[in-house]
Amino acid sequence: MIVSPSVLALDYSNMETQVNELNESGAEWLHFDVMDGHFVPNLTFGPDILKAFCKMSPLVKDVHLMVSDPYFFSDVFAKAGADIITFHAEAERDYLKTVELARHIHALGCKAGISIKPLSDIEMLRPYLREFDVFLIMSVEPGFGGQPFLPASASRISTLRRWLDNSHPEALVEVDGGINRDTAKICLDAGADVLVAGSYVFKKNIRESVQSLCALAQ
Ligand code: DX5
Ligand code: ZN
């Protein structure tokens, strides 16, 4: 199981210390929530922040694009050092364009991910099971950290894991929103491979929080 701390919740007045703690925490990825103030009602960081993290951390840069123009921002964040670029199925509903963007992200040298909001039908992902490396299930409405986990996410995780086991077993199911020790257990039991956690990781000791999640998979 992979832990991907969301740096949306990082204390930017203490950035270097916290990134060093993340590097030693046992987390394998860092999750970057890119928000454009249009696809979601919030605005976060641009490529220069990702470049700074690339200088400070060897962890996998897991970029979550909550943007209305994933084509533009895929190029921007690939150039800034992203390893994984995930965009929302709701931002591009055309099948061919979605497949084309997945292949473009691969051509940029990144892994490609697709995400859906909690109220979107999980069937939206069915046509793309072989096209993406990561499938990001939002367990909160995207836009802000610190929201409670939506319990209906568990059945969505297990449905998606079952589909992938039959068609693309090496693909990863990532869950994002309201993850703590209790909800992490629910997600792992449902088949999640990657857990994104923001407020849970940064509100206390970073290493202890990450380790408390890693311990669930042992
Ligand atoms: C929400 C983001 C999540 C969020 C997670 O739009 O995609 O990654 O930062 O934060 P917590 O773990 O606090 O729910
Ligand atoms: Zn996210």
Side-chain angles (χ1 to χ4, degrees):
M1 181 267 288
I2 293 168
V3 176
S4 185
S6 166
V7 297
L8 185 67
L10 185 135
D11 172 6
Y12 283 89
S13 69
N14 194 16
M15 184 175 176
E16 188 171 2
T17 303
Q18 294 210 328
V19 176
N20 289 337
E21 288 176 22
L22 285 167
N23 289 341
E24 305 304 321
S25 67
E28 293 179 56
W29 296 4
L30 289 183
H31 187 82
F32 294 85
D33 289 308
V34 178
M35 302 180 193
D36 65 0
H38 183 259
F39 183 75
V40 291
N42 196 359
L43 184 64
T44 56
F45 33 69
D48 291 342
I49 299 290
L50 179 59
K51 286 176 189 168
F53 276 94
C54 288
K55 287 180 187 164
M56 300 165 74
S57 175
L59 301 187
V60 172
K61 311 300 184 288
D62 170 32
V63 175
H64 176 194
L65 297 180
M66 287 161 277
V67 301
S68 298
D69 185 349
Y71 301 85
F72 171 73
F73 286 105
S74 293
D75 287 343
V76 168
F77 282 91
K79 287 190 187 87
D83 296 301
I84 302 166
I85 295 177
T86 296
F87 63 93
H88 271 261
E90 298 90 350
E92 176 50 75
R93 294 178 183 270
D94 177 85
Y95 169 76
L96 289 176
K97 288 180 180 172
T98 301
V99 170
E100 180 195 336
L101 182 49
R103 291 176 184 172
H104 178 65
I105 290 169
H106 284 141
L108 292 167
C110 302
K111 288 191 181 296
I114 188 166
S115 181
I116 55 168
K117 298 181 181 181
L119 298 183
S120 294
D121 188 340
I122 188 95
E123 287 290 338
M124 283 179 79
L125 296 179
R126 183 98 80 148
Y128 306 115
L129 298 177
R130 291 183 175 82
E131 298 294 339
F132 290 89
D133 310 290
V134 179
F135 293 80
L136 179 57
I137 298 279
M138 290 306 296
S139 41
V140 297
E141 188 63 25
F144 299 91
Q147 301 177 72
F149 178 84
L150 295 169
S153 308
S155 61
R156 291 159 67 84
I157 295 164
S158 52
T159 299
L160 177 59
R161 188 66 264 168
R162 187 174 66 251
W163 291 347
L164 289 169
D165 287 348
N166 296 323
S167 59
H168 190 185
E170 62 273 21
L172 298 174
V173 175
E174 182 175 14
V175 186
D176 184 3
I179 298 295
N180 56 40
R181 193 167 160 69
D182 299 328
T183 57
K185 179 91 174 64
I186 294 168
C187 294
L188 291 174
D189 291 348
D193 305 292
V194 183
L195 299 179
V196 176
S199 44
Y200 179 71
V201 166
F202 290 98
K203 70 182 176 190
K204 290 186 294 187
N205 178 285
I206 290 173
R207 176 178 172 74
E208 284 172 13
S209 303
V210 170
Q211 287 299 313
S212 72
L213 298 178
C214 295
L216 292 170
Q218 284 152 10

